[in-house]
Amino acid sequence: MLLQVILEGIGLGVLLILVCAIGICKGAVGMVHLYSPAVQQRCVKLGLTTHEKIKRNSLFFKAVCVPGYIGYVLVCVYRINGARSFAAGFWQLLVILSVMNLMDRLLVDGYWVGHTNAWTIPGTEDLKPYITAKDKQKKWLFGTVGMAGIASVLAAIMMVFIH
């Protein structure tokens, strides 16, 4: 079961990477809502985007992608794997979310954003690194503590629907 849950986490990580690839397919400015306010402001100043487009992309991401990710983990844990207790749901959710978080931190932030030009927005190179050491600390903290919190809340909610 652990291997299956790890593979489901890899699936969620691949889904995240796919969303990112689609988001930057016409240029990294398409995902500028994930960048710091300084980069966003520079993109607006350069005429690459507008505050309205940034807000719209951010809202779209939150309204479509986040529920999609949540739906994915819930289907994996409760429909496919058949979890029926808080503990069973919690550990599976935590593993899936943690694997995805590791892929996000190491593959997306660490390699793709940090060591390739795919996420470089022309005219903002002087604002690199886009993900600062402080940003990385916050992301690692949320990725560990935050994913445990999300797993707890989702497992508790699912107990209402299961029982």
Side-chain angles (χ1 to χ4, degrees), residues 66-129:
V66 172
Y69 299 151
I70 291 171
Y72 174 93
V73 296
L74 293 177
V75 166
C76 288
V77 172
Y78 294 97
R79 174 72 75 191
I80 297 170
N81 302 347
R84 292 293 173 256
S85 69
F86 176 85
F90 173 76
W91 83 260
Q92 290 180 46
L93 289 163
L94 182 59
V95 169
I96 293 170
L97 292 170
S98 295
V99 168
M100 182 272 307
N101 183 57
L102 282 171
M103 291 176 71
D104 190 19
R105 297 290 75 75
L106 299 174
L107 297 177
V108 177
D109 293 348
Y111 177 72
W112 200 9
V113 176
H115 290 91
T116 74
N117 289 323
W119 290 80
T120 299
I121 300 172
T124 67
E125 294 89 350
D126 62 308
L127 299 173
K128 284 185 170 184

Side-chain angles (χ1 to χ4, degrees), residues 14-162:
V14 168
L15 184 61
L16 172 73
I17 290 168
L18 181 61
V19 166
C20 290
I22 291 168
I24 67 167
C25 71
K26 293 181 183 175
V29 75
M31 295 291 275
V32 76
H33 64 276
L34 299 176
Y35 291 65
S36 71
V39 176
Q40 292 177 20
Q41 189 61 34
R42 176 77 60 82
C43 288
V44 170
K45 183 178 177 183
L46 292 171
L48 301 173
T49 191
T50 64
H51 289 293
E52 293 76 26
K53 284 182 183 177
I54 294 170
K55 186 176 181 178
R56 187 173 357 130
N57 287 347
S58 178
L59 289 173
F60 179 81
F61 182 81
K62 291 172 186 170
V64 174
C65 297
V66 172
Y69 299 151
I70 291 171
Y72 174 93
V73 296
L74 293 177
V75 166
C76 288
V77 172
Y78 294 97
R79 174 72 75 191
I80 297 170
N81 302 347
R84 292 293 173 256
S85 69
F86 176 85
F90 173 76
W91 83 260
Q92 290 180 46
L93 289 163
L94 182 59
V95 169
I96 293 170
L97 292 170
S98 295
V99 168
M100 182 272 307
N101 183 57
L102 282 171
M103 291 176 71
D104 190 19
R105 297 290 75 75
L106 299 174
L107 297 177
V108 177
D109 293 348
Y111 177 72
W112 200 9
V113 176
H115 290 91
T116 74
N117 289 323
W119 290 80
T120 299
I121 300 172
T124 67
E125 294 89 350
D126 62 308
L127 299 173
K128 284 185 170 184
Y130 292 128
I131 304 171
T132 65
K134 187 176 179 180
D135 293 334
K136 288 178 184 179
Q137 288 175 339
K138 289 179 192 175
K139 288 181 171 210
W140 278 107
L141 178 63
F142 178 76
T144 52
V145 176
M147 294 302 175
I150 291 168
S152 296
V153 169
L154 291 175
I157 291 170
M158 289 308 295
M159 288 301 92
V160 172
F161 292 105
I162 290 174

